[in-house]
Amino acid sequence: MREFSFDAFLPRFLTALAETGLMVSVAFLAASVLGVLLGLLLYASRPGNLLENRVVFAVLNGAINIIRPIPFLIVAISLIPLTRFVFGTGIGPLPATLPLVLVASVAIARVAESNLVSVDPGAIEAGAAMGASPARVLFTIVIPEALGPLTLGLTYILVALVDATAVAGVVGGGGLGDLALKFGYARFDWITVLLVVITLIVLVQLAQFIGNRIARRVLH
């Protein structure tokens, strides 16, 4: 087992933590906007719903069903040519956000659709009967009614993103996963690996705690 040096570990750890924070925050914000809009469009275009459109629903539903089962590592490797085209490189935390946004967006879209479907149809019919446009019904009745469970769903995706950033380190994304792989596993420095694992657990618990607090406030 390699001898552990805290002085050498600390700057690497802080850099990796900042890279993980960048990946999670950028990916979560972008995926939340895209995913909720996709989920809203899926919900509204369902047969018999406010903006029924079988073609739009079939295309979106099919695309999400194709992307969701693919493991994140495979998605990240497959998108390397695209990340090189967009960012000029496939290595680094910012290029790694592209596959993170894609995977998180489709997951959020499905979570959002599931939550929106559970909204009481009576409230939607009442809004439509009062002359509200479909867009007004969606944004002033449907989304507010589903906000509590939607917040819990977004929290679940945030936790999953923290896990995914560790995998992103395998394909050059940097972050805590990269630190554990290069300076922990590859050098038989198991203390570094242990500290990274503990940090990931703390980050996940923190994300879950904040999400639960926000959801509790929304639900009450």
Side-chain angles (χ1 to χ4, degrees):
M1 182 174 171
R2 190 184 182 91
E3 185 178 349
F4 177 75
S5 169
F6 185 76
D7 290 338
F9 168 79
L10 186 59
R12 293 173 187 153
F13 172 77
L14 293 177
T15 301
L17 188 62
E19 291 173 344
T20 294
L22 176 68
M23 285 189 279
V24 171
S25 57
V26 172
F28 182 68
L29 289 174
S32 294
V33 174
L34 290 174
V36 170
L37 288 176
L38 278 175
L40 201 59
L41 191 55
L42 264 175
Y43 166 78
S45 62
R46 289 171 71 92
N49 221 329
L50 292 166
L51 299 171
E52 177 180 345
N53 188 314
R54 293 178 184 275
V55 175
V56 172
F57 178 77
V59 170
L60 288 178
N61 195 50
I64 290 173
N65 285 342
I66 290 172
I67 295 172
R68 279 192 69 197
I70 304 175
F72 173 71
L73 183 59
I74 304 300
V75 174
I77 292 172
S78 303
L79 291 183
I80 285 177
L82 181 60
T83 56
R84 283 178 177 163
F85 175 76
V86 174
F87 296 98
T89 177
I91 297 174
L94 205 53
T97 58
L98 192 61
L100 288 170
V101 169
L102 176 63
V103 170
S105 293
V106 297
I108 290 173
R110 191 59 84 197
V111 168
E113 183 200 14
S114 302
N115 290 326
L116 296 176
V117 166
S118 64
V119 173
D120 180 13
I124 299 171
E125 290 171 3
M130 292 174 67
S133 65
R136 189 177 178 85
V137 170
L138 288 173
F139 287 100
T140 62
I141 297 176
V142 177
I143 288 184
E145 287 287 328
L147 204 52
L150 187 57
T151 303
L152 289 174
L154 289 175
T155 302
Y156 173 78
I157 300 301
L158 178 60
V159 169
L161 270 175
V162 175
D163 295 339
T165 57
V167 180
V170 178
V171 290
L176 293 169
D178 185 58
L179 176 66
L181 187 67
K182 285 184 179 175
F183 296 96
Y185 175 74
R187 300 185 180 188
F188 302 102
D189 184 353
W190 300 112
I191 295 179
T192 293
V193 175
L194 178 63
L195 291 174
V196 168
V197 170
I198 291 172
T199 303
L200 288 172
I201 292 172
V202 170
L203 289 177
V204 166
Q205 296 302 319
L206 186 62
Q208 189 68 56
F209 174 76
I210 293 172
N212 288 344
R213 289 293 296 266
I214 294 174
R216 198 173 298 126
R217 284 179 177 272
V218 171
L219 287 169
H220 293 87

